[in-house]
Amino acid sequence: MPKTRHSTGLSQALRPDRIRAATLEVLADVLEEGQLADRALSRVLRRESGLLSGERRAVAEAVYGLLRREAPLRRALARGLGTHPLGKFAASEIHAALLLAHQQLEGEAPDPGNLPPPLRRALRSLRGDLEADLAEAGEPGSAARLGLAHSLPPWLAAELLREIGAAETEQLFTALNQRAPLTLRTNLLRTTREALLAELATLDISAHATALSPWGVILEGNPNVFALKPFRAGHFEVQDEGSQLLALLCRARPGQIVVDACAGGGGKTLALSAEMHNRGELWALDVNARRLAELKPRARRAGAHNVRSVAVLEAGPQPSQFEKLVGRADAVLVDAPCSGIGALRRNPDARRRLTAESIQEQAARQLQILGRMASLVKPGGLLVYATCSVLRAEDEEVTARFLSADPAFAPVAPSELLPSEIAAAVEAPLAEAGLRSPHALRLWPQRHGTDGFFAAAFRRK
């Protein structure tokens, strides 16, 4: 039986029953109640304080792993049931069967317990039914087959086949179903990357520098970073390497007025503060006041003293602080709300909410936000639009419509904003794959190992 090392230094055996109960509770919250997986997981693990660290990791891995393959598992179970409709079983029984199916594909041999006999029989034929479903879905490389194989919507597969071709779509989908690396951003207000790596080594945590971001550190394994002394001291934040590059693209400098227009919890805000050396005005704006509130303790821990947060409105008259920023900002980052397709490694449950219609709705909202926030940029100032999407509808098409509507802005190539060695490192894998975007920064999970990101920069004339 697997073991985990307890805080006393002694190894303790994992308790499968505790792992299973917590996993099924999270799955019920996500699959039945529609809760976000990370929040449901956090709630359950916070309450179940008696779980060992290895058990907590096992719960998280089981939840996210199942969500990455939920669609083909449901379909295979339905096939294996024959004339017994899957929907006729209790939700708790379906969740248990899905978990057992996932564990089976992971090479485990879990006890089915009191699962109804028809579901037990369906589990016995699982692998064959998965193969039969794929064969029926369509030819290899077709949208229907790619979607089913990777538990992603066929419409998304069809769109990406059109935009980037079969080989890249297959590789992208494979990458999106992998577990994302645990990446940190060194807080240069408190330490250096070299010092952080040395500090982690003293804690027996293996880590290495990121290939693209000058601040990034990738951890090996899955330690609880929030319990580490360097985290409590504000030496790092957890942040994907691609997200770090978005902050770098803004070229924020000490003494400037910089706006993070869709700040959320403030990850990029804090990166911008470090680039500004804590000097100047850094404004964090968001429509979600609750998320903005999360920024205050983070900024305090990071030693970021130049951050000011303001809750703004989706439309209509804005707070006076917003109005006073109009035409004054040296740089404005609009990391717009999006489909999140590029970040599915971290949020696998997001695929359950993806629809073709939602993409068009997001694009209309993105254009509206970009147009509103552009008013803050001063003449000669920089506007950066970004998403964690990989679809042109949310990216190039939005920026094209923006430029058509506002001739006061002109595109700026990322190579003019990023350090030359970083720009070259980003472009090299794209050139060989035929994925280059000369006027935008494109990051792909299958090519860069980051989340999928798009960013385009514009300068006000």
Side-chain angles (χ1 to χ4, degrees):
M1 181 179 293
K3 295 183 177 182
T4 188
R5 187 161 294 279
H6 195 52
S7 58
T8 60
L10 301 175
S11 293
Q12 291 189 325
L14 302 184
R15 298 163 292 182
D17 56 331
R18 297 288 299 274
I19 296 170
R20 173 184 166 85
T23 301
L24 289 174
E25 183 176 353
V26 177
L27 289 174
D29 288 342
V30 176
L31 302 181
E32 286 300 306
E33 303 299 326
Q35 295 183 26
L36 298 178
D38 58 345
R39 293 182 187 173
L41 184 64
S42 176
R43 181 186 63 79
V44 171
L45 293 184
R46 195 162 51 240
R47 192 195 66 224
E48 297 295 331
S49 58
L51 289 174
L52 304 173
S53 60
E55 292 170 339
R56 301 166 82 83
R57 281 196 297 273
V59 172
E61 289 172 5
V63 168
Y64 287 133
L66 190 157
L67 290 171
R68 291 186 181 105
R69 52 168 58 130
E70 179 195 356
L73 290 182
R74 280 187 182 272
R75 186 159 167 173
L77 287 174
R79 174 185 283 270
L81 286 169
T83 58
H84 292 79
L86 182 61
K88 292 292 185 181
F89 292 92
S92 59
E93 294 171 334
I94 296 172
H95 301 161
L98 286 169
L99 177 58
L100 289 164
H102 167 68
Q103 292 172 320
Q104 193 172 306
L105 294 181
E106 290 296 303
E108 302 175 33
D111 181 1
N114 59 355
L115 202 67
L119 285 171
R120 292 192 187 203
R121 289 193 294 272
L123 286 169
R124 286 196 289 270
S125 63
L126 179 70
R127 291 183 184 273
D129 290 333
L130 284 168
E131 292 175 5
D133 285 337
L134 275 182
E136 286 183 5
E139 294 295 320
S142 67
R145 185 156 177 165
L146 277 171
L148 181 62
H150 297 280
S151 195
L152 287 163
W155 66 262
L156 177 60
E159 186 64 26
L160 286 165
L161 285 170
R162 184 178 66 82
E163 293 185 6
I164 62 174
E168 286 299 319
T169 299
E170 177 80 55
Q171 291 178 51
L172 171 62
F173 279 9
T174 298
L176 289 175
N177 278 323
Q178 302 298 315
R179 190 172 71 181
L182 181 50
T183 308
L184 314 180
R185 177 186 56 78
T186 308
N187 177 19
L188 298 185
L189 294 175
R190 298 284 200 198
T191 187
T192 65
R193 179 160 71 173
E194 292 71 23
L196 176 60
L197 285 167
E199 196 173 10
L200 292 170
T202 65
L203 298 172
D204 293 325
I205 296 175
S206 298
H208 62 273
T210 50
L212 300 175
S213 169
W215 318 313
V217 169
I218 294 178
L219 303 189
E220 298 171 20
N222 191 28
N224 179 8
V225 295
F226 303 112
L228 298 178
K229 182 179 178 181
F231 174 77
R232 296 196 300 271
H235 292 182
F236 67 81
E237 288 282 336
V238 177
Q239 187 176 20
D240 180 76
E241 185 179 9
S243 179
Q244 297 178 35
L245 291 188
L246 297 188
L248 191 64
L249 193 66
C250 294
R251 294 181 67 87
R253 295 294 181 262
Q256 291 185 338
I257 297 176
V258 177
V259 178
D260 186 359
C262 301
K268 284 178 284 295
T269 306
L270 298 179
L272 291 167
S273 179
E275 281 292 89
M276 297 171 72
H277 300 178
N278 239 342
R279 299 201 297 274
E281 297 179 29
L282 177 54
W283 293 85
L285 313 181
D286 203 275
V287 296
N288 190 328
R290 181 188 60 79
R291 291 211 65 198
L292 272 181
E294 298 171 7
L295 174 57
K296 292 182 179 180
R298 294 178 71 184
R300 194 179 309 117
R301 184 176 61 245
H305 307 307
N306 65 332
V307 178
R308 309 175 189 185
S309 58
V310 178
V312 295
L313 304 174
E314 283 270 5
Q318 296 295 335
S320 60
Q321 298 99 318
F322 180 94
E323 299 299 340
K324 291 177 182 177
L325 285 170
V326 172
R328 296 181 57 226
D330 295 278
V332 174
L333 171 60
V334 181
D335 185 11
C338 70
S339 63
I341 293 168
L344 283 175
R345 301 185 304 174
R346 302 178 192 282
N347 304 299
D349 57 314
R351 72 193 65 206
R352 308 182 86 245
R353 298 181 288 276
L354 287 174
T355 66
E357 294 75 23
S358 69
I359 300 300
Q360 297 307 316
E361 293 167 1
Q362 288 281 18
R365 185 185 183 201
Q366 290 155 354
L367 182 60
Q368 181 185 50
I369 294 171
L370 182 57
R372 182 165 67 251
M373 296 304 173
S375 68
L376 305 182
V377 182
K378 74 178 187 181
L382 196 66
L383 173 65
V384 176
Y385 171 77
T387 74
C388 57
S389 176
V390 296
L391 292 179
R392 291 175 187 166
E394 297 184 89
D395 299 335
E396 288 92 346
E397 292 178 18
V398 170
T399 57
R401 298 210 303 273
F402 167 72
L403 285 175
S404 176
D406 195 338
F409 286 87
V412 182
S415 58
E416 297 180 33
L417 302 171
L418 293 172
S420 58
E421 67 277 9
I422 294 177
V426 169
E427 284 297 306
L430 301 183
E432 65 185 48
L435 293 173
R436 291 188 71 247
S437 299
H439 298 297
L441 174 70
R442 271 281 186 197
L443 298 169
W444 296 89
Q446 79 277 20
R447 291 289 167 179
H448 299 106
T450 67
D451 286 349
F453 279 102
F454 169 89
F458 313 95
R459 196 172 298 284
R460 184 182 281 278
K461 300 172 185 176

